[in-house]
Amino acid sequence: MKITSIRKLLFNEKSFNPFSDNYNPEQIQLILKEYLKSEKEDTSQIKDKESDIDAVRIAVQTPVFNYYYKELYEYMKKTLSEPGINVINVIQYLIAIVNHDTKMIEMSINKMIQSTNQLRLEEMAMLKIDEKNFKSNAVNSYELQTDLLNLLLNYLKYFHKEDSRHNNAVPARIHEASSKMYRASNLLYVVKDAFDRMVWENGTIIEKNEELYLRYIEPDSQILLQLGMFRVQRNALAYSITIYQHLKENPIYLRFLSETRKGKNISNIRINSRGYIRYSVQNEGPNALLQSELVQGLAFIAAFYPHFTRKELEKLGKLTVDDLMVLHSELVHLTEKVKDCLPEVNDATDIKDYMVRIRTCLKTKENVV
């Protein structure tokens, strides 16, 4: 078996992924041994060989990253085995924590934006907010909440079938356990994010004095990446302004955005005593589609993937990209309305007030879009 690229294996092979259940360090050792042996015998393509040696250094250190992956699993397993704690309630509390923190971050961002007369796109990316005695990037903090929740939910699926779903749950203990899991997931997220950057952004890992240093092979790569992101955002912003203005002047084109959707919109949001979101829909004609989230989504698609918008996606019910953008905009619209029903964040806020969930029922007119 001829191994041509270790970095490609890091991209595609689950056995090389230290954050996968299929991670196989023994197989990695065998492949690396074979690869390094073949490289000694092959003197061609020196530049490519030197580049892939950087990927070899990453592969060699994967057991270190796998350690963090397994540590969080063992910690959660031990915590969930304690009396008074079950998976279902932990999930509810984790969602409440993320909802609470996300609203708190959003309040901080809005306060900062309102305190200035003008704000450039570059400045938006550099906004800092105060979080428990330290400053963090506002955009990163906002996105981090969902990433942490997804990470924890992927872990909790291991324990869901084993969960007895007993009724002797102790809220205080569940709240404490969920908070500790949430904090512990921060460390794993940072470790995983660092590993992914080294793999996908052409980096390497250097060991020195029993410490690991993560380095980009090209020293200017992060500057170029940021410049690229600013350019993407500027192009999409220009497209969104054009699309929004065009749709306002020619509303008849709204009906072509999705041929599978009626002109309806979500209304009458409320949250019942059990935390379930209840909503209904109403007819609002073609203007029901004119939402900022939809326009922004369509702008990104039009700017970079115009050839892909009408293609049916087989694994997603043959929906098109345009259909998915309509669905996404409605979900964001629903979230915005739900957010208005949540209490303000303050010291007296009960975390349980943020335990919201949704139940869909296709057989009734309620809860259907």
Side-chain angles (χ1 to χ4, degrees), residues 9-31:
L9 293 177
L10 288 167
F11 287 161
N12 303 314
E13 292 297 325
K14 292 183 178 179
S15 60
F16 271 68
N17 183 358
F19 306 99
S20 168
D21 293 340
N22 297 313
Y23 173 69
N24 190 332
E26 291 79 16
Q27 182 180 357
I28 292 176
Q29 288 182 0
L30 291 174
I31 291 177

Side-chain angles (χ1 to χ4, degrees), residues 80-134:
L80 291 169
S81 65
E82 297 176 0
I85 299 174
N86 59 54
V87 172
I88 298 299
N89 292 123
V90 166
I91 291 175
Q92 292 174 351
Y93 267 90
L94 286 172
I95 292 174
I97 292 171
V98 171
N99 287 338
H100 174 276
D101 287 4
T102 299
K103 184 163 186 178
M104 181 176 63
I105 292 170
E106 187 175 73
M107 288 172 57
S108 299
I109 293 175
N110 290 338
K111 184 178 180 180
M112 292 181 66
I113 293 175
Q114 291 170 6
S115 65
T116 183
N117 294 327
Q118 62 180 11
L119 194 64
R120 295 172 57 88
L121 182 62
E122 295 88 342
E123 294 170 337
M124 275 291 295
M126 300 304 293
L127 276 179
K128 302 287 184 181
I129 59 173
D130 290 315
E131 283 191 294
K132 298 176 182 178
N133 300 322
F134 70 92

Side-chain angles (χ1 to χ4, degrees), residues 72 173 303 311 319 330:
L72 182 57
R173 300 200 63 179
K311 181 178 176 59
L319 294 174
E330 288 294 351

Side-chain angles (χ1 to χ4, degrees), residues 68-331:
Y68 289 96
Y69 177 75
K70 293 190 295 186
E71 278 293 293
L72 182 57
Y73 172 85
E74 293 298 330
Y75 172 75
M76 294 179 69
K77 181 178 181 180
K78 178 182 178 182
T79 301
L80 291 169
S81 65
E82 297 176 0
I85 299 174
N86 59 54
V87 172
I88 298 299
N89 292 123
V90 166
I91 291 175
Q92 292 174 351
Y93 267 90
L94 286 172
I95 292 174
I97 292 171
V98 171
N99 287 338
H100 174 276
D101 287 4
T102 299
K103 184 163 186 178
M104 181 176 63
I105 292 170
E106 187 175 73
M107 288 172 57
S108 299
I109 293 175
N110 290 338
K111 184 178 180 180
M112 292 181 66
I113 293 175
Q114 291 170 6
S115 65
T116 183
N117 294 327
Q118 62 180 11
L119 194 64
R120 295 172 57 88
L121 182 62
E122 295 88 342
E123 294 170 337
M124 275 291 295
M126 300 304 293
L127 276 179
K128 302 287 184 181
I129 59 173
D130 290 315
E131 283 191 294
K132 298 176 182 178
N133 300 322
F134 70 92
K135 290 185 178 293
S136 63
N137 181 275
V139 176
N140 292 344
S141 296
Y142 196 80
E143 296 175 348
L144 179 62
Q145 310 306 312
T146 304
D147 292 334
L148 292 178
L149 181 60
N150 284 333
L151 187 154
L152 287 167
L153 291 179
N154 284 329
Y155 269 94
L156 289 169
K157 68 184 180 183
Y158 295 114
F159 310 104
H160 189 268
K161 292 182 180 180
E162 302 174 7
D163 188 24
S164 60
R165 302 187 72 170
H166 43 73
N167 296 319
N168 60 336
V170 180
R173 300 200 63 179
I174 295 173
H175 186 186
E176 180 183 5
S178 302
S179 299
K180 288 182 178 179
M181 288 181 191
Y182 187 66
R183 289 195 296 270
S185 67
N186 273 270
L187 175 59
L188 180 64
Y189 177 83
V190 170
V191 171
K192 185 178 185 303
D193 181 67
F195 178 83
D196 289 343
R197 286 176 181 272
M198 292 302 99
V199 171
W200 292 95
E201 297 179 14
N202 202 30
T204 190
I205 298 176
I206 300 172
E207 183 176 2
K208 184 178 181 180
N209 298 327
E210 298 185 349
E211 294 182 345
L212 299 183
Y213 296 85
L214 281 62
R215 296 283 186 268
Y216 290 100
I217 298 173
E218 298 295 335
D220 296 333
S221 61
Q222 283 299 286
I223 297 176
L224 295 174
L225 178 63
Q226 290 298 322
L227 289 173
M229 289 178 63
F230 284 140
R231 184 172 181 178
V232 167
Q233 291 167 343
R234 284 181 178 277
N235 290 346
L237 181 60
Y239 266 90
S240 65
I241 294 173
T242 302
I243 292 175
Y244 192 82
Q245 190 63 35
H246 181 70
L247 292 178
K248 286 191 69 175
E249 295 174 355
N250 305 277
I252 191 172
Y253 288 106
L254 282 168
R255 64 182 181 144
F256 297 116
L257 291 178
S258 177
E259 298 171 355
T260 60
R261 183 186 185 281
K262 297 179 180 179
K264 295 181 179 293
N265 206 352
I266 298 171
S267 65
N268 301 325
I269 294 287
R270 65 185 180 88
I271 302 174
N272 66 19
S273 58
R274 296 182 60 197
Y276 279 105
I277 301 168
R278 307 301 296 268
Y279 65 90
S280 58
V281 296
Q282 64 184 16
N283 292 319
E284 289 196 4
N287 287 332
L289 287 170
L290 193 56
Q291 298 172 3
S292 60
E293 297 84 10
L294 176 61
V295 173
Q296 291 171 13
L298 292 174
F300 271 93
I301 298 300
F304 302 101
Y305 308 103
H307 57 285
F308 199 57
T309 57
R310 306 304 298 170
K311 181 178 176 59
E312 294 183 345
L313 305 175
E314 293 292 334
K315 295 184 179 181
L316 292 173
K318 293 189 174 181
L319 294 174
T320 66
V321 173
D322 283 347
D323 294 329
L324 292 175
M325 290 312 307
V326 172
L327 177 59
H328 175 263
S329 68
E330 288 294 351
L331 290 173

Side-chain angles (χ1 to χ4, degrees), residues 309-360:
T309 57
R310 306 304 298 170
K311 181 178 176 59
E312 294 183 345
L313 305 175
E314 293 292 334
K315 295 184 179 181
L316 292 173
K318 293 189 174 181
L319 294 174
T320 66
V321 173
D322 283 347
D323 294 329
L324 292 175
M325 290 312 307
V326 172
L327 177 59
H328 175 263
S329 68
E330 288 294 351
L331 290 173
V332 173
H333 185 53
L334 172 62
T335 304
E336 289 295 319
K337 287 183 173 290
V338 170
K339 183 183 64 179
D340 294 337
C341 298
L342 297 175
E344 292 297 320
V345 176
N346 53 54
D347 294 337
T349 301
D350 190 338
I351 197 69
K352 290 187 292 185
D353 292 336
Y354 292 85
M355 287 184 186
V356 293
R357 46 191 170 165
I358 191 167
R359 175 184 291 159
T360 58

